[in-house]
């Protein structure tokens, strides 16, 4: 299809425009949208509810090779408890990303990648250790969510939540990410509401300010990991570009503009950022920010020698933050046995 890699790159309005530009009445867009997001498994042409003009258009513009419109799952690995599943997905150009489905009581959460690799270089993150390959298109982001959804149809719990916390920095790929989320949250499509979608950033200040200015309806997560500039820069090199003082100013602007809270991520590393002093400095740093702090003990990667904080250290840290009036949760570590935990996703060679 000239100028278009996949139908999944298009919002519903853009799909209507595309059909109209090619002489197909807009009314057919509804049937094609249903086929893409409800009826088709791998081959849209296999759907019966397609009018002849639409079927001819699909054949002429896409041919019979529609399989590549559905991302190729190279491997699917389940954790020992069967409640976390990691997909290795191959893209059209051979690039590979990982996507994770995490089952909780009453719901499944899809942890989705937005880039192949990552340019942010966080030292304890396997993706950051890879370096950056390329941005994902909107359809490649949507395709991961479709894969998870179709995987959970055979399970008891439905797909309810999407977190952009997989490989890559979502706000470094802003336009494609926002287009993908418009598609995902469309009520006639996957219908995953904005209140169930979280965008996580390591601190791309222009992206945070743009989210605020555009009043995007999604949740925002910001990974801090350090409460001083030196401490954070040692873990998150991009802090040299967007210093901590600028990041916190952007967070305050976001909260003031949108009225939304920010989910602050903090990876607890033994002896590096997990002491009571670190916790107290974090509470002071969050002054003026509507925040909920999520703590997670470090997940091991081959490229970083740090160790996870102990359970008791994590609990002490949580208690200090909570005592300052800031909601604080110690997140469950899921899928560690198959390297599907936070910070463990990478290209498989």
């Amino acid at each position: 299809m000239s100028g278009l890699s996949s139908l999944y790159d298009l919002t519903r309005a853009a799909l209507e425009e595309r059909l109209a530009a090619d002489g197909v009445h807009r009314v057919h867009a509804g049937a094609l949208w249903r086929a893409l997001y409800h009826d088709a498994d791998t081959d849209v042409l296999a759907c019966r509810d397609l009018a002849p003009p639409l079927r001819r258009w699909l054949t002429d513009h896409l041919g019979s090779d529609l399989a590549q419109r559905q991302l190729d799952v190279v491997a699917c690995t389940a954790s020992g408890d069967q409640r976390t599943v990691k997909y290795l997905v191959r893209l059209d150009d051979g690039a590979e990303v990982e996507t994770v489905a995490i089952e909780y009581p009453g719901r499944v959460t899809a942890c989705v990648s937005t880039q192949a690799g990552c340019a942010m270089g966080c030292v304890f993150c396997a993706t950051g250790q890879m370096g950056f390959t390329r941005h994902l298109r909107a359809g490649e982001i949507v395709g991961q969510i479709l894969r998870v959804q179709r995987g959970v149809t055979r399970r008891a719990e439905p797909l309810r939540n999407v977190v952009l916390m997989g490989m890559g920095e979502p706000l470094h790929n802003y336009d494609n990410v926002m287009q993908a989320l418009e598609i995902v949250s469309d009520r006639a499509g996957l219908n995953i509401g904005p209140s169930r979608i979280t965008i996580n950033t390591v601190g791309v200040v222009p992206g945070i300010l743009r989210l605020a200015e555009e009043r995007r309806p999604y949740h925002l997560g910001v990974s801090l990991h350090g409460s001083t500039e030196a401490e954070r820069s040692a873990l998150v090199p991009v802090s040299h570009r967007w210093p901590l003082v600028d990041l916190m100013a952007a967070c305050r602007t976001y909260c003031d503009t949108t009225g939304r809270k920010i989910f602050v991520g903090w990876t607890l590393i033994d002896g590096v950022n997990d002491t009571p002093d670190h916790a107290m400095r974090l509470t002071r740093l969050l002054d003026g920010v509507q925040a909920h702090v999520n703590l997670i003990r470090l997940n091991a990667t081959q490229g970083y020698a740090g160790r996870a904080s102990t359970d008791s250290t994590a609990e002490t840290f949580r208690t200090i933050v909570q005592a300052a009036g800031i909601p604080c949760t110690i997140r469950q570590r899921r899928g560690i046995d198959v390297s599907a935990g936070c910070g463990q996703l990478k290209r498989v060679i």
Side-chain angles (χ1 to χ4, degrees):
M1 179 179 291
S2 177
L4 180 64
S5 297
S6 169
L7 291 175
Y8 295 102
D9 287 324
L10 298 177
T11 64
R12 187 150 50 106
L15 182 61
E16 291 181 3
E17 291 295 330
R18 179 74 191 213
L19 290 175
D22 289 340
V24 181
H25 199 285
R26 294 171 184 267
V27 71
H28 296 300
L32 180 53
W33 193 260
R34 286 192 301 275
L36 291 171
Y37 294 103
H38 295 286
D39 301 333
D41 186 8
T42 58
D43 189 348
V44 176
L45 283 171
C47 296
R48 295 182 178 182
D49 187 23
L50 299 177
L54 182 57
R55 190 174 294 277
R56 285 194 297 272
W57 180 84
L58 285 168
T59 301
D60 291 345
H61 288 78
L62 296 175
S64 60
D65 183 20
L66 289 177
Q68 59 94 17
R69 311 305 181 212
Q70 295 285 325
L71 301 182
D72 182 18
V73 175
V74 179
C76 181
T77 308
S79 61
D81 64 4
Q82 301 295 306
R83 298 181 71 84
T84 300
V85 179
K86 183 172 70 171
Y87 300 89
L88 176 63
V89 177
R90 182 171 295 147
L91 309 177
D92 295 346
D93 62 356
E96 293 177 346
V97 298
E98 292 190 317
T99 307
V100 181
I102 310 167
E103 185 178 323
Y104 298 96
R107 72 186 191 282
V108 169
T109 294
C111 181
V112 177
S113 296
T114 55
Q115 296 176 316
C118 184
M120 301 297 111
C122 297
V123 298
F124 53 84
C125 175
T127 311
Q129 294 159 14
M130 285 172 51
F132 176 71
T133 301
R134 70 169 175 88
H135 298 304
L136 299 194
R137 302 188 329 268
E140 292 171 327
I141 298 169
V142 173
Q144 295 173 69
I145 299 168
L146 278 169
R147 278 301 185 185
V148 172
Q149 184 196 53
R150 285 162 184 165
V152 302
T153 54
R154 296 181 292 274
R155 301 172 70 91
E157 312 295 3
L159 174 62
R160 290 280 178 83
N161 298 81
V162 171
V163 293
L164 303 187
M165 296 181 185
M167 297 170 66
E169 164 55 60
L171 297 188
H172 186 205
N173 189 19
Y174 191 96
D175 291 332
N176 285 329
V177 164
M178 295 307 145
Q179 185 168 326
L181 294 184
E182 181 180 345
I183 295 167
V184 168
S185 59
D186 190 296
R187 291 186 177 182
L190 294 178
N191 192 27
I192 299 174
S195 65
R196 296 184 178 274
I197 297 172
T198 300
I199 301 169
N200 197 72
T201 179
V202 77
V204 178
V205 167
I208 294 171
L209 295 175
R210 188 174 172 188
L211 282 173
E213 180 182 358
E214 295 175 358
R215 288 177 167 77
R216 297 285 181 171
Y218 315 108
H219 292 302
L220 174 64
V222 176
S223 297
L224 282 184
H225 310 309
S227 56
T228 68
E229 189 58 55
E231 184 179 294
R232 187 168 195 268
S233 295
L235 297 171
V236 185
V238 76
S239 194
H240 292 295
R241 181 173 183 182
W242 294 297
L244 191 55
V245 62
D246 295 339
L247 173 57
M248 299 316 300
C251 289
R252 293 184 184 92
T253 297
Y254 177 88
C255 293
D256 292 343
T257 302
T258 66
R260 294 178 171 275
K261 65 183 173 183
I262 290 174
F263 292 91
V264 173
W266 191 278
T267 296
L268 287 167
I269 307 170
D270 181 45
V272 174
N273 65 353
D274 65 347
T275 69
D277 285 344
H278 290 114
M280 288 301 301
R281 286 201 298 270
L282 173 59
T283 64
R284 292 192 291 269
L285 191 66
L286 293 177
D287 183 47
V289 177
Q290 302 170 53
H292 183 121
V293 176
N294 285 317
L295 306 174
I296 186 162
R297 296 167 59 229
L298 176 72
N299 293 321
T301 62
Q302 291 183 350
Y304 184 66
R307 297 178 302 176
S309 302
T310 64
D311 288 341
S312 61
T313 297
E315 181 56 33
T316 298
F317 197 106
R318 187 202 67 81
T319 300
I320 292 170
V321 174
Q322 193 87 32
I326 302 170
C328 186
T329 304
I330 300 175
R331 285 179 51 192
Q332 298 178 17
R333 301 166 82 198
R334 302 289 299 274
I336 308 305
D337 58 330
V338 292
S339 296
C342 290
Q344 294 185 312
L345 303 188
K346 63 180 180 179
R347 178 183 65 245
V348 177
I349 299 174

